[in-house]
């Protein structure tokens, strides 16, 4: 039986750099600041790897640090209270199996497009594995180091550099790994000394450095992760220039707490300030409910574009915001809020979530039903409390219709003259008698 000569077989050659550039472009399309992607994916990875799902002992922590020493600059993301990068290295043959076991965190981080499946009582945020390339995109040299210390006291170091045709991963463990870290960082960074993991962005972009220094990184964390900070006591710290700051939740600037309304004193900045709160609201075409919807209108405060609208929360992270622009800029620019949902519905939402975790397809189920009920509720608030009136779409007037008919008939006459079409459409209206001209 005739067949191809195995010697003539060639593997598909992929321009890996172009693929990574496309992934980064997808993030840029949703969010313009690289520092926003870094904090979102960095914390997402760490939060998904926490040992205590509810963080009852509040041992989980994530630290961002900008380190500048002479010509060397690094940004590190270090977590505590996590499992670290557990598991072993898989070769290509091993990876041909359908799924990676849940605990194979090292292999999942080294490779691409191996799904991170949800497990009972711990709803994972990451799912597609493309977020790891965010850290490459935040490096001018497209290079990252990553190290871990595991419960078995094994220390490991890895490195990824995105090249044109590959994004190879280097690996070492034990004392040799510590020696390599010293060499690669000119002796500036010491090996990780607690169970957990650390990502080291080599030669970070100027934008990332600037956003850490001027406080924008902390603001992004506050807006994205307010729920786990306020509800689970998560500690997220930003360090630079010998200073450190523990991020406070964005909800502390609102006159009502997300989960603990009596715990924190809320500011009331205006007598005209109004809030709208609804609990346990059924979602159309779903067996699940909205746990809580909160909307604030404050005429003395203009929210920026990352705070406008209703934050859609999934597993403690703000994915995107459902806008309320139809209310008009006079109202919508002074409105912010959030919606929390039952966990079963959050799992279903992953079906329509964008791969960068910055968007939803609002025309598909189940998010279509959520969008419908959110619109209904914020319109109710605007009409009853803010004096908004829904504007109806004006119908075409009779004169407009006649003008359209005349234009169409003229076009049809021309078409008939050149041999296409059926000519002008006869009017159904009775012709009025005209006098002699």
């Amino acid at each position: 039986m005739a067949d191809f000569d195995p010697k003539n077989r060639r593997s598909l050659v992929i321009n890996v750099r172009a693929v990574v550039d496309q992934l980064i472009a997808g993030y840029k399309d949703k969010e313009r600041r690289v520092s926003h992607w870094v904090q979102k994916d960095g914390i997402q990875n760490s939060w998904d790897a926490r040992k205590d799902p509810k963080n009852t002992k509040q041992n989980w922590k994530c630290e961002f640090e900008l380190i500048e020493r002479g010509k060397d600059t690094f940004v590190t993301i270090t977590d505590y209270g996590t499992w670290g990068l557990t598991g072993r290295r898989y070769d290509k043959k091993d990876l041909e199996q359908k799924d990676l076991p849940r605990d194979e965190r090292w292999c999942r981080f080294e490779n691409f497009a191996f799904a991170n499946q949800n497990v009972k009582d711990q709803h994972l945020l990451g799912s597609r594995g493309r977020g790891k390339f965010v850290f490459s995109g935040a490096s001018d040299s497209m290079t990252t180091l990553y190290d871990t210390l595991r419960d078995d006291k094994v220390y490991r170091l890895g490195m990824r550099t995105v090249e044109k045709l590959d994004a190879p991963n280097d690996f070492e463990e034990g004392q040799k790994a510590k020696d390599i870290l010293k060499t690669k960082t000119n002796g500036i960074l010491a090996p990780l000394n607690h169970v957990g993991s650390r990502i080291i962005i080599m030669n970070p972009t100027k934008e990332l450095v600037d956003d850490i220094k001027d406080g924008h990184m902390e603001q992004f964390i506050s807006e994205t992760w307010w729920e786990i900070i306020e509800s689970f006591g998560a500690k997220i710290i930003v360090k630079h220039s010998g200073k450190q700051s523990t991020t406070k939740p964005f909800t502390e600037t609102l006159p009502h707490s997300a989960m603990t309304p009596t715990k924190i004193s809320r500011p009331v900045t205006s007598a005209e300030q109004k809030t709208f709160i609804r609990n346990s609201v059924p979602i159309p075409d779903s067996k699940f409910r909205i746990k809580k919807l909160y909307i604030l209108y404050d005429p003395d405060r203009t929210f920026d574009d990352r705070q406008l609208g209703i934050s859609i929360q999934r597993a403690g992270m703000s994915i995107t915001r459902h806008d309320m622009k139809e209310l008009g800029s006079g109202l919508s620019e002074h409105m912010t809020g959030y919606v929390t949902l039952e966990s079963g519905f959050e799992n279903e939402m992953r079906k329509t979530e964008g791969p960068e975790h910055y968007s939803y397809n609002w025309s598909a189920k189940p998010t279509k039903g959520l969008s419908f009920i959110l619109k209904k509720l914020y319109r109710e608030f605007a009409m009853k409390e803010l004096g908004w009136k829904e504007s109806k779409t004006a119908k075409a007037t009779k004169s407009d219709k006649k003008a359209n008919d005349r234009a169409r008939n003229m076009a049809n006459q021309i078409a008939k003259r050149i041999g296409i079409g059926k000519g002008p459409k006869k009017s159904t209206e009775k012709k009025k008698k005209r006098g002699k001209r």
Side-chain angles (χ1 to χ4, degrees):
M1 182 181 293
D3 202 353
F4 292 103
D5 187 342
K7 294 179 182 179
N8 293 331
R9 189 174 194 182
R10 294 289 183 271
S11 297
L12 174 68
V13 178
I14 299 173
N15 187 335
V16 176
R17 179 63 183 262
V19 172
V20 173
D21 286 344
Q22 284 184 326
L23 294 179
I24 297 302
Y27 279 86
K28 285 183 178 178
D29 183 55
K30 306 299 181 185
E31 165 55 55
R32 60 186 180 273
R33 303 300 289 184
V34 64
S35 53
H36 203 288
W37 325 331
V38 168
Q39 62 84 23
K40 197 167 192 177
D41 272 282
I43 296 170
Q44 172 189 298
N45 291 340
S46 298
W47 186 245
D48 278 352
R50 66 195 184 276
K51 288 183 174 181
D52 180 2
K54 297 185 181 298
N55 197 33
T56 51
K57 297 180 180 179
Q58 299 193 2
N59 290 330
W60 183 89
K61 180 171 67 171
C62 186
E63 292 184 349
F64 291 79
E65 185 172 10
L66 168 63
I67 301 166
E68 297 176 296
R69 302 278 177 84
K71 295 181 180 180
D72 294 301
T73 304
F74 314 102
V75 169
T76 63
I77 308 169
T78 310
D79 61 37
Y80 300 76
T82 67
W83 295 102
L85 294 172
T86 56
R88 63 183 178 88
R89 294 193 101 192
Y90 279 48
D91 58 29
K92 187 175 180 180
K93 186 176 181 180
D94 290 332
L95 290 171
E96 288 177 356
Q97 62 181 297
K98 185 177 180 180
D99 293 313
L100 284 171
R102 177 190 169 198
D103 293 334
E104 297 295 337
R105 297 179 175 89
W106 182 276
C107 185
R108 190 174 283 109
F109 192 81
E110 275 198 332
N111 297 289
F112 177 57
F114 290 90
N116 196 358
Q117 302 294 336
N118 261 335
V119 293
K120 187 178 180 181
D121 299 326
Q122 185 174 348
H123 305 289
L124 303 181
L125 286 156
S127 59
R128 298 168 176 86
R130 64 175 55 200
K132 61 177 68 69
F133 290 109
V134 160
F135 312 121
S136 302
S139 164
D140 284 337
S141 59
M142 298 289 276
T143 301
T144 53
L145 297 174
Y146 42 98
D147 63 350
T148 189
L149 183 65
R150 310 186 316 186
D151 281 325
D152 59 7
K153 305 304 179 185
V154 171
Y155 174 79
R156 283 179 171 176
L157 175 71
M159 184 175 78
R160 173 185 286 115
T161 301
V162 178
E163 301 170 352
K164 182 175 181 179
L165 300 182
D166 201 356
N169 296 285
D170 291 297
F171 165 87
E172 197 54 73
E173 65 181 29
Q175 185 58 48
K176 188 175 180 180
K178 295 177 182 180
D179 293 339
I180 294 171
L181 176 68
K182 183 178 180 180
T183 301
K184 294 292 183 182
T185 64
N186 290 327
I188 295 171
L189 298 184
L192 203 63
N193 60 6
H194 67 271
V195 175
S197 59
R198 175 175 59 179
I199 296 167
I200 304 165
I201 301 173
M202 311 288 282
N203 311 115
T205 62
K206 183 178 183 299
E207 181 181 300
L208 176 56
V209 171
D210 290 345
D211 281 356
I212 291 176
K213 287 182 175 180
D214 65 19
H216 277 103
M217 171 71 88
E218 190 174 347
Q219 177 190 332
F220 298 156
I221 295 169
S222 172
E223 294 163 354
T224 306
W225 296 100
W226 62 267
E227 189 177 350
I228 67 168
I229 297 171
E230 184 164 309
S231 304
F232 296 97
K235 290 184 177 65
I236 306 172
I237 295 169
V238 180
K239 297 180 176 181
H240 69 91
S241 307
K243 300 178 291 185
Q244 74 173 45
S245 177
T246 301
T247 305
K248 295 181 179 180
F250 171 64
T251 45
E252 280 202 6
T253 69
L254 308 180
H256 192 281
S257 170
M259 303 296 170
T260 52
T262 61
K263 183 178 179 181
I264 303 170
S265 177
R266 302 295 179 182
V268 177
T269 60
S270 168
E272 301 298 319
Q273 193 179 76
K274 295 183 184 297
T275 56
F276 180 83
I277 300 170
R278 290 290 183 272
N279 296 292
S280 190
V281 180
I283 301 171
D285 298 323
S286 173
K287 63 181 180 180
F288 300 108
R289 290 174 170 261
I290 289 172
K291 288 167 63 177
K292 181 174 183 177
L293 170 65
Y294 169 89
I295 303 174
L296 167 70
Y297 166 73
D298 188 339
D300 290 346
R301 187 170 172 183
T302 300
F303 297 98
D304 69 31
D305 58 355
R306 295 185 183 87
Q307 300 166 351
L308 290 173
I310 302 167
S311 174
I312 310 299
Q313 299 294 124
R314 181 174 71 79
M317 177 172 73
S318 173
I319 302 294
T320 187
R321 303 190 80 89
H322 192 292
D323 74 63
M324 297 182 279
K325 291 180 180 178
E326 68 169 312
L327 302 180
S329 59
L331 293 179
S332 64
E333 288 183 359
H334 306 287
M335 296 174 70
T336 190
Y338 58 82
V339 62
T340 57
L341 305 148
E342 291 183 344
S343 60
F345 191 78
E346 288 185 348
N347 290 337
E348 290 189 0
M349 287 171 70
R350 289 162 65 102
K351 301 173 187 175
T352 64
E353 189 174 312
E356 301 86 7
H357 308 300
Y358 274 101
S359 62
Y360 283 110
N361 179 355
W362 293 111
S363 63
K365 291 183 178 182
T367 40
K368 183 178 181 180
L370 176 62
S371 179
F372 174 83
I373 192 63
L374 290 179
K375 285 182 180 179
K376 181 179 179 180
L377 291 171
Y378 74 64
R379 286 173 176 176
E380 174 189 327
F381 172 50
M383 285 189 284
K384 290 183 178 179
E385 299 290 337
L386 308 179
W388 178 75
K389 292 183 180 180
E390 184 177 3
S391 59
K392 303 293 183 181
T393 303
K395 295 181 179 180
T397 62
K398 190 173 183 179
S399 60
D400 289 335
K401 185 177 184 303
K402 286 184 176 181
N404 290 335
D405 287 343
R406 286 195 299 270
R408 182 178 61 251
N409 286 340
M410 182 63 70
N412 287 339
Q413 284 178 350
I414 295 170
K416 187 176 181 181
R417 287 173 190 168
I418 62 175
I420 61 174
K422 298 180 180 179
K425 181 181 178 181
K426 293 183 179 180
S427 174
T428 57
E429 294 182 4
K430 292 182 180 180
K431 293 183 178 180
K432 293 182 180 180
K433 292 181 179 180
R434 290 185 177 180
K436 292 184 179 179
R437 291 185 177 178

